[in-house]
Amino acid sequence: MSYTGTAHKVGEHIDTDAIIPARFLVTTDTRKLGENCMAGLEEGWVKRVKPGDVMVAGRNFGCGSSREHAPIAILGAGMPVVIAHSFARIFYRNSFNMGLLLLEVGDEVDKIADGDTVEVDAAKGLITNRTTGATITCPPLPASMRELLDKGGLVPYVREKLA
Amino acid sequence: MAHTLAQKILQAHTDEAIMAAGQIVRCRVSLALANDITAPLAIKSFRAMGAKKVFDRDKVALVMDHFTPQKDIDSAQQVKLTREFAREMGVTHYYEGGDCGVEHALLPELGLVGPGDVVVGADSHTCTYGGLGAFATGLGSTDVAGAMALGETWFKVPPTIRATFTGTLPRWVGAKDLILRLIGEIGVDGALYRALEFDGAAIEALSVEGRMTIANMAIEAGGKVGLFAADEKTLAYTAARGRKDAPLSADPGATYERELTFDVSGMEPVVACPHLPENVKPVGEVQGVTLDQVVIGSCTNGRISDMREAAEVLKGRKVAKGVRCIVLPATPGVWKEALKEGLIETFMESGCIVGPATCGPCLGGHMGILADGERAIATTNRNFRGRMGSLESEVYLASPAVAAASAVAGVIAHPGSL
Ligand code: SF4
């Protein structure tokens, strides 16, 4: 499970209203939510994102309302991974259950700047900043969680387990 | 590795070795719970998952407690949908009507939760069972649907904050005051993500019901679970409900992220002022605040010991004119016991309204909603803006003794001052 892409850096305490404002909650369509990803932070923010890019954030990313639309919007924008100093609890669970990989790295998040190219190896627990050569280690993602993400989240995961 | 209570319980439910906080593990669950608000959503996800049956018909609990007896057509539809699901799946522990009570008071009373269990519930106050030594936490409906289908879920192993309460509780100071004091100290996000573990002489001296009152409000400090060791009191409580449990305590030398100590000697009863549970003040600082309503009940303080505490204050006294004092024993079991002990008569003699075992006004559902500008004191757990009705109303949180004394005084009052 590895990804390489451009880092898009956002600040601290980014709440779910910044990730996907309530006015866009009229749909659960991944692509449509993705088109408005981070619109609560900056109109048109998402235009900078190419599929496979990586979101990088400060402390307490995903705080606020527990809407499951927030991780879907990030996935819909084409970003399969968020690296942050830390995450809010409900957002953390929702993300894995929706199929979005989160890596919590504490202060080491400062080793990544906006626009850097980063490579993420979740199984090894290794993040490499291709631009600077810096590396960050985090606990390797257990096989069961990789499976959850591979299947695309909790609903398809359970569906397959039961089949 | 030496484990905290949280780590120790999770370890017993997973085949992976728990090495540190932050690790993600997959755990078997002992019970999955949903209520009349959250079950319909969980059932929708359960169907989307293509699940045909629940993992174990004896390990799913569906408790219709929030808007029941069904207060309107919408809530009746929600309950109907859940009832039909329960029938289809053959769910043993479906509760509605005369055998139903507030979920977090009901499940411990029925012996469905106990020490060492891992319980997931689509309700944030699922953490109540930590009072018995269960790793119990609230999850979203989709999460609970997954657990209902598979009998397992994943957890990120939480770091633990240890809260030690030393000293002897003064008269009129109880479990509710201890947890409010802790929340006042660390704030509504002070234990975010974390397990809280409670110990100390004052905790050992508390009844099991008092410990559940404390565990119940762990979430009000942002906590994932609020845990107590299972001692002789716990084991006597669960044995009386047909369970066979073993003692449970944290390993000596376990690592705590933070340790807090509170001396309870000389403490005064406290109240949480609007609109956050962290706005905690000694009752002396707010006495005299006028009231329109008093609510005694809920999953925090609706058990028999709470009814006794309120009745002790109300006995031989009258509720002040112009104040509605609503008493809701949290389960049919509490109701019957209160009746037998003459507490119901005391409440009626005092001029209280005694209602059925329901969440009712706790979440602004029904049976005691506040109008613009009205003010209540309640033994419930949340005083967010609009929680009990109008956005222009106010809720103070307190113990049953303080709530009862305030009902008599018609203003917030210290039970010792009557
Ligand atoms: S009594 Fe209140 S807090 Fe407890 S389950 Fe019911 S609504 Fe929730």
Side-chain angles (χ1 to χ4, degrees):
Chain A
M1 182 166 272
S2 57
Y3 311 90
T4 306
T6 304
H8 299 290
K9 203 153 180 187
V10 294
E12 317 225 323
H13 305 287
I14 300 289
D15 63 26
T16 49
D17 277 294
I19 299 170
I20 184 78
R23 64 182 184 278
F24 298 120
L25 299 181
V26 289
T27 176
T28 49
D29 182 80
T30 307
R31 198 181 46 83
K32 285 201 199 116
L33 288 169
E35 280 168 7
N36 295 299
C37 179
M38 305 308 281
L41 188 69
E42 183 191 320
E43 210 57 63
W45 184 94
V46 75
K47 291 203 184 82
R48 70 191 71 186
V49 179
K50 300 181 302 304
D53 282 355
V54 174
M55 174 94 87
V56 181
R59 271 167 220 276
N60 200 23
F61 186 77
C63 55
S65 113
S66 65
R67 60 186 68 146
E68 291 182 347
H69 305 73
I72 300 177
I74 296 171
L75 281 167
M79 293 176 285
V81 189
V82 184
I83 301 168
H85 182 286
S86 56
F87 295 96
R89 172 178 119 84
I90 299 177
F91 178 81
Y92 192 86
R93 284 200 77 88
N94 283 345
S95 294
F96 281 94
N97 288 338
M98 295 300 127
L100 176 67
L101 169 63
L102 305 184
L103 297 168
E104 208 162 32
V105 298
D107 290 335
E108 300 243 68
V109 77
D110 296 338
K111 289 183 179 171
I112 307 173
D114 192 48
D116 286 354
T117 302
V118 293
E119 186 183 328
V120 172
D121 187 331
K124 284 211 194 94
L126 184 69
I127 301 165
T128 312
N129 187 332
R130 286 268 159 244
T131 308
T132 65
T135 57
I136 301 170
T137 53
C138 52
L141 196 67
S144 61
M145 296 306 286
R146 293 208 297 275
E147 203 189 333
L148 181 63
L149 296 177
D150 276 343
K151 302 280 186 269
L154 187 63
V155 169
Y157 170 86
V158 176
R159 197 188 299 129
E160 230 186 280
K161 281 239 157 180
L162 293 172
Chain B
M1 159 191 188
H3 286 147
T4 62
L5 267 176
Q7 293 167 348
K8 199 163 175 170
I9 300 168
L10 291 179
Q11 183 64 83
H13 290 258
T14 181
D15 302 326
E16 303 159 56
I18 293 183
M19 309 304 292
Q23 186 184 344
I24 297 176
V25 290
R26 198 153 261 290
C27 292
R28 296 175 286 276
V29 305
S30 317
L31 189 78
L33 160 75
N35 58 45
D36 50 328
I37 296 180
T38 58
L41 282 169
I43 292 166
K44 199 169 154 224
S45 296
F46 186 86
R47 305 266 192 221
M49 287 165 179
K52 296 282 181 291
K53 55 182 182 36
V54 295
F55 80 105
D56 184 334
R57 49 191 293 250
D58 296 328
K59 294 185 177 172
V60 171
L62 298 168
V63 185
M64 306 297 99
D65 57 353
H66 279 63
F67 296 141
T68 53
Q70 287 78 331
K71 79 175 181 94
D72 56 18
I73 297 171
D74 285 343
S75 57
Q77 298 287 8
Q78 301 263 85
V79 172
K80 180 170 175 241
L81 186 151
T82 310
R83 185 192 309 129
E84 286 167 358
F85 175 81
R87 275 202 197 123
E88 180 189 337
M89 297 293 151
V91 168
T92 316
H93 301 295
Y94 172 79
Y95 298 101
E96 182 199 344
D99 62 359
C100 188
V102 176
E103 51 197 314
H104 310 307
L106 186 70
L107 301 192
E109 187 182 286
L110 296 175
L112 292 179
V113 290
D117 284 357
V118 170
V119 183
V120 294
D123 188 276
S124 56
H125 292 101
T126 303
C127 53
T128 309
Y129 320 134
L132 297 171
F135 186 101
T137 193
L139 302 180
S141 289
T142 304
D143 254 345
V144 169
M148 274 166 36
L150 295 179
E152 56 171 47
T153 192
W154 61 276
F155 291 111
K156 188 160 134 180
V157 178
T160 298
I161 298 175
R162 174 154 74 176
T164 305
F165 290 87
T166 61
T168 319
L169 284 173
R171 174 99 173 115
W172 303 121
V173 176
K176 184 66 162 283
D177 301 294
L178 301 191
I179 185 63
L180 287 178
R181 181 167 167 198
L182 173 74
I183 297 165
E185 179 88 16
I186 68 174
V188 292
D189 56 358
L192 206 59
Y193 242 146
R194 275 124 184 96
L196 280 163
E197 197 175 301
F198 299 91
D199 65 7
I203 297 295
E204 283 160 32
L206 277 183
S207 69
V208 171
E209 294 197 350
R211 295 175 194 175
M212 286 196 270
T213 296
I214 293 179
N216 173 272
M217 291 191 73
I219 180 70
E220 262 57 69
K224 185 168 187 156
V225 289
L227 283 165
F228 291 73
D231 60 9
E232 324 79 76
K233 284 186 188 172
T234 321
L235 300 185
Y237 180 94
T238 66
R241 285 149 185 87
R243 293 177 58 105
K244 281 191 197 66
D245 293 299
L248 175 72
S249 56
D251 292 336
T255 312
Y256 294 93
E257 185 190 64
R258 189 175 169 195
E259 308 205 28
L260 302 159
T261 305
F262 301 89
D263 184 358
V264 305
S265 313
M267 236 184 107
E268 224 198 293
V270 293
V271 297
C273 303
H275 292 282
L276 277 181
E278 69 181 24
N279 295 337
V280 176
K281 295 200 178 120
V283 66
E285 281 181 30
V286 285
Q287 64 192 11
V289 171
T290 56
L291 296 166
D292 302 285
Q293 177 165 304
V294 178
V295 176
I296 299 169
S298 88
C299 59
T300 316
N301 287 118
R303 284 172 279 267
I304 190 66
S305 51
D306 303 310
M307 296 299 127
R308 289 182 189 132
E309 186 179 313
E312 187 186 343
V313 175
L314 287 164
K315 182 130 191 127
R317 298 193 170 104
K318 292 276 182 212
V319 171
K321 198 107 195 97
V323 173
R324 314 180 283 276
C325 181
I326 302 165
V327 183
L328 302 172
T331 69
V334 175
W335 229 106
K336 275 184 270 179
E337 184 59 28
L339 191 64
K340 213 159 67 189
E341 294 181 18
L343 311 181
I344 300 287
E345 195 180 339
T346 300
F347 296 141
M348 296 305 290
E349 286 295 334
S350 311
C352 298
I353 305 157
V354 187
T358 178
C359 293
C362 172
L363 76 160
H366 59 147
M367 296 199 183
I369 305 301
L370 301 176
D372 292 352
E374 285 195 323
R375 193 179 294 125
I377 193 164
T379 66
T380 56
N381 47 45
R382 287 190 172 146
N383 58 349
F384 304 150
R385 191 178 292 278
R387 172 82 177 174
M388 202 171 273
S390 160
L391 284 173
E392 305 304 320
S393 64
E394 289 183 349
V395 178
Y396 286 73
L397 304 175
S399 68
V402 170
S406 304
V408 172
V411 295
I412 295 180
H414 191 301
S417 75
L418 293 180

